[in-house]
Amino acid sequence: VVTILGLLSEANGACKAPDKVIKRKKKVLAGCLKKGYQSSLEGCVSGSGKPKRRQVKACTEVEKQLASCDVSCIEKVDGKYGPFGEWGTCSAACGGGSQSRTRECNNPAPANGGADCSGEASETQACNENVCPVNGGWSAPGEWSACSAACGGGTQSRSKICNNPAPANGGADCSGEASETQACNENVCPVNGGWSAPGEWSACSAA
């Protein structure tokens, strides 16, 4: 799109004139308009005055040539971006995410062959870069300890460690108890026999 003296031209397959010729004829038509020539091209505004007949003929011929190349007096409007909207939700609650925001090419929107907005319609930034909390988890429990009694009922215990993983960055401790106890060797104990005290001697078998 080329604009000279308020005249707009767009590419047209039917237009065979070189660009420099179009440019020169635009200047001629602009002069015609200033002298009061009434153009039929869209958007053209004539100045005060009344051109001579031979000028009208020349201006009309130039106008026909420009019309075949889609020339008009409509002023092009280049697009400009409006303000950015609000930032979107961060893609992560912690540990580093991203969020974006957009803007529209409507302040003003491009019109009449004007250029699109320059630059990007969206932008992205990092967010929630704080480290994530790590809640603690228990390791597998260790072996049971030796029973406190060989029989008749005893107890034994085993423990686990809060390191799978260990809590970090404000994460919660492991829930529950670190050790557990159970009964063991509940079988009755064996009882070995024992002699009572001896009784009185019996009478002697001979006098």
Side-chain angles (χ1 to χ4, degrees):
V1 178
V2 181
T3 300
I4 299 175
L5 299 176
L7 299 175
L8 177 71
S9 174
E10 294 185 348
N12 181 357
C15 182
K16 303 300 182 182
D19 288 343
K20 62 181 181 179
V21 174
I22 296 297
K23 183 176 180 180
R24 184 171 66 249
K25 292 185 181 297
K26 285 179 179 180
K27 290 183 178 180
V28 173
L29 181 59
C32 292
L33 294 173
K34 289 181 179 179
K35 293 176 182 179
Y37 173 73
Q38 301 296 313
S39 175
S40 62
L41 295 181
E42 186 177 4
C44 291
V45 178
S46 301
S48 60
K50 186 176 182 180
K52 297 179 180 179
R53 181 176 297 180
R54 62 182 178 84
Q55 291 175 328
V56 170
K57 184 177 180 180
C59 291
T60 300
E61 184 61 30
V62 169
E63 182 182 60
K64 288 180 180 179
Q65 295 170 345
L66 291 176
S68 69
C69 293
D70 284 347
V71 173
S72 73
C73 294
I74 299 175
E75 185 175 358
K76 71 175 182 178
V77 178
D78 292 336
K80 291 184 179 181
Y81 281 116
F84 277 104
E86 297 293 325
W87 287 105
T89 302
C90 191
S91 61
C94 60
S98 62
Q99 60 185 170
S100 60
R101 62 180 182 176
T102 60
R103 56 182 177 174
E104 295 186 18
C105 186
N106 62 359
N107 190 36
N112 306 323
D116 287 335
C117 291
S118 61
E120 299 298 328
S122 64
E123 61 181 354
T124 303
Q125 68 175 8
C127 54
N128 291 346
E129 297 181 281
N130 54 297
V131 293
C132 293
V134 178
N135 295 328
W138 292 113
S139 66
E143 297 293 327
W144 287 105
S145 66
C147 191
S148 62
C151 60
T155 58
Q156 62 183 169
S157 62
R158 65 179 182 178
S159 61
K160 51 189 177 181
I161 302 173
C162 186
N163 66 354
N164 188 37
N169 308 323
D173 288 334
C174 292
S175 60
E177 300 297 327
S179 63
E180 59 181 336
T181 302
Q182 70 176 6
C184 54
N185 293 345
E186 296 181 282
N187 54 298
V188 295
C189 293
V191 179
N192 297 325
W195 293 111
S196 65
E200 296 292 328
W201 288 105
S202 63
C204 186
S205 61

